[in-house]
């Protein structure tokens, strides 16, 4: 158990809909990362937050947005969903948000299926 | 931009045999390199990381990796495979600012009894 929790575990929805994925980081970790894992694209970095502020952005679509709240949990919002958005979405957390000095601890993921 | 390439999407070894998973990187600056493992239906777990302190890096579960600048490689090895090593393994590199990880395509390791 990494200490990172993600809800829900599974999500099935229809095209055009909007969903929210939630992540609670490990106790004491200030940084949260979101990744998408799909058969087509592999494992891709989406976005990083540190102590409530956006720190880095990867290949995140404009239809996707995220935020980190004062209690440090984070939410990833996916809207106008398309079939191609079906994937496993991982959240990871680290202490200070620097990939090569910190260790990123990954949650178990949320599997999103868009029908 | 940094990138990593994992050679072989599937590797099969017998229990007790040497495990060798290949990773080559591309980076314009000294890289920071990582190996992660993903067991079925689980998130990723860090096996080891190279941050320029030593070229031979020892990780958890008996794995180690050697950074070879001349070959731009960071291959993962384990002397003797165990059935519990069956999983998917990802090589990754961090960006210059150290904010994000860029992952390779992954290698699925199968261990035969």
């Amino acid at each position: 158990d990494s200490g990172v929790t993600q809800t829900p575990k599974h999500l099935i929805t229809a095209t055009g809909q909007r969903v929210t994925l939630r992540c609670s980081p490990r106790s004491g970790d200030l940084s949260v990362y979101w990744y998408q894992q799909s058969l087509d694209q592999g494992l891709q970095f989406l976005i990083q937050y540190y102590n409530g502020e956006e720190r880095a952005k990867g290949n995140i679509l404009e239809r996707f947005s995220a935020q980190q709240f004062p209690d440090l949990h984070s939410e990833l919002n996916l809207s106008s969903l398309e079939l191609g958005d079906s994937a496993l979405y991982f959240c990871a957390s680290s202490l200070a948000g620097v990939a090569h000095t910190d260790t990123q601890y990954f949650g178990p993921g949320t599997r999103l299926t868009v029908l | 931009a940094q990138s990593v390439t994992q050679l072989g999407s599937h590797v099969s070894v017998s229990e007790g045999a040497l495990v060798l998973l290949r990773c080559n990187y591309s980076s314009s600056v000294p890289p920071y390199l990582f190996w992660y493992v993903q067991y079925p239906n689980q998130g990723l777990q860090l096996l080891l990381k190279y941050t320029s302190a030593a070229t031979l890096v020892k990780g958890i579960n008996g794995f180690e990796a050697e950074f070879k600048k001349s070959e731009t490689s960071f291959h993962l090895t384990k002397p003797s495979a165990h059935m519990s090593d069956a999983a998917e393994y990802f090589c990754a590199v961090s960006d210059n600012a150290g904010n994000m990880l860029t992952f390779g395509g992954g290698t699925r390791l199968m261990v035969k009894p």
Side-chain angles (χ1 to χ4, degrees):
Chain A
D1 184 359
S2 67
V4 178
T5 59
Q6 290 187 249
T7 56
K9 196 166 184 158
H10 300 277
L11 199 47
I12 301 174
T13 188
T15 54
Q17 295 298 305
R18 174 190 170 94
V19 297
T20 297
L21 312 184
R22 183 187 168 103
C23 168
S24 293
R26 290 189 329 146
S27 177
D29 284 356
L30 298 177
S31 191
V32 168
Y33 308 77
W34 286 97
Y35 293 88
Q36 179 195 59
Q37 185 178 34
S38 66
L39 289 174
D40 295 344
Q41 306 285 341
L43 192 56
Q44 286 197 105
F45 167 77
L46 295 178
I47 197 164
Q48 179 201 7
Y49 279 82
Y50 175 78
N51 205 20
E53 300 289 327
E54 183 185 303
R55 179 173 272 190
K57 220 169 191 175
N59 297 326
I60 188 166
L61 299 172
E62 283 192 15
R63 301 183 284 109
F64 296 2
S65 65
Q67 54 184 325
Q68 186 179 27
F69 294 87
D71 68 352
L72 300 176
H73 91 272
S74 178
E75 293 181 356
L76 179 67
N77 300 296
L78 314 176
S79 62
S80 303
L81 285 168
E82 302 174 0
L83 295 177
D85 297 327
S86 296
L88 195 50
Y89 290 84
F90 285 110
C91 169
S93 76
S94 73
L95 181 62
V98 182
H100 51 262
T101 55
D102 285 356
T103 294
Q104 289 188 28
Y105 294 89
F106 281 74
T110 292
R111 183 169 294 283
L112 173 67
T113 303
V114 182
L115 301 175
Chain B
Q2 287 89 348
S3 66
V4 290
T5 302
Q6 293 183 240
L7 299 175
S9 58
H10 292 80
V11 169
S12 181
V13 300
S14 297
E15 193 172 20
L18 171 73
V19 175
L20 171 61
L21 305 182
R22 299 176 188 274
C23 173
N24 287 88
Y25 69 89
S26 171
S27 176
S28 57
V29 296
Y32 297 100
L33 296 159
F34 307 78
W35 276 100
Y36 279 83
V37 61
Q38 184 180 25
Y39 297 104
N41 300 314
Q42 293 187 29
L44 280 73
Q45 180 183 6
L46 180 68
L47 278 177
L48 50 82
K49 62 181 177 182
Y50 167 75
T51 57
S52 77
T55 56
L56 183 62
V57 183
K58 292 188 185 300
I60 62 171
N61 302 337
F63 284 93
E64 63 181 38
E66 186 172 8
F67 173 72
K68 291 188 177 180
K69 186 177 178 182
S70 61
E71 298 177 9
T72 61
S73 69
F74 189 59
H75 301 331
L76 182 70
T77 60
K78 181 173 181 177
S80 176
H82 193 273
M83 296 296 289
S84 61
D85 295 325
E88 186 142 25
Y89 292 79
F90 292 91
C91 183
V93 62
S94 73
D95 68 331
N96 291 345
N99 298 124
M100 55 181 269
L101 294 175
T102 299
F103 288 88
T107 297
R108 185 167 297 278
L109 175 67
M110 294 165 284
V111 182
K112 299 175 293 188

